[in-house]
Amino acid sequence: MAKILIVEARFYENFNDMLIAGARAVIEAAGHEVEVLTVPGALEVPGAIALAAESGEYDAFVAIGVVIRGETYHFEIVAGESARAIMALTMDGIAIGNGILTVENDAQALVRADPAQKDKGGEAAKAALALLSLAARFDA
């Protein structure tokens, strides 16, 4: 049994609750333990994952959050930099499923977050578990 940490950027609570529900369902169905850690925003998610990975307490991670385009360039910075940092951690051998949604509006976020629709939280958990399985296969 693996211990999986969901790190969520708790900005859009209603969407996050759906993303977490989808991720939790996949992780628990696979027989693994799950915990949730909350950080203020998407830019803090990679840092929290890096700190938790250093602890050696967790086997894999799921990044959860929602970034909705606004009127400023901030969307591009947050979306791009959080994804870049998560990818860098993944390239360092940390099993991470990226479930941070980058969308234009609330309607798109709802469709992607809802476990009964696109279930991007569940997909991110599946990705984390797939990477965890690969790490075991390659003894990484």
Side-chain angles (χ1 to χ4, degrees):
M1 175 171 63
K3 191 170 181 183
I4 315 297
L5 181 65
I6 296 172
V7 180
E8 67 150 336
R10 192 77 178 164
F11 198 78
Y12 294 100
E13 292 184 11
N14 55 330
F15 300 132
N16 276 25
D17 288 344
M18 289 185 272
L19 288 164
I20 290 169
R24 183 182 294 276
V26 167
I27 294 165
E28 290 176 348
H32 301 298
E33 185 180 343
V34 63
E35 289 184 23
V36 177
L37 175 69
T38 301
V39 297
L43 289 174
E44 290 76 38
V45 170
I49 290 172
L51 291 170
E54 282 277 317
S55 77
E57 190 176 335
Y58 302 97
D59 301 297
F61 303 87
V62 179
I64 294 292
V66 179
V67 183
I68 299 176
R69 184 180 300 278
E71 297 177 2
T72 69
Y73 187 67
H74 186 67
F75 170 86
E76 282 82 5
I77 293 169
V78 173
E81 290 301 312
S82 64
R84 182 201 55 77
I86 289 169
M87 182 55 66
L89 292 169
T90 302
M91 295 304 293
D92 286 340
I94 300 172
I96 305 170
N98 188 352
I100 297 178
L101 304 180
T102 52
V103 297
E104 298 291 330
N105 53 50
D106 285 7
Q108 289 179 353
L110 176 62
V111 168
R112 286 157 180 77
D114 186 353
Q117 295 185 60
K118 293 203 180 256
D119 191 22
K120 294 299 182 179
E123 286 184 14
K126 288 175 186 174
L129 295 177
L131 288 171
L132 183 60
S133 177
L134 281 174
R137 175 180 172 193
F138 296 119
D139 200 26

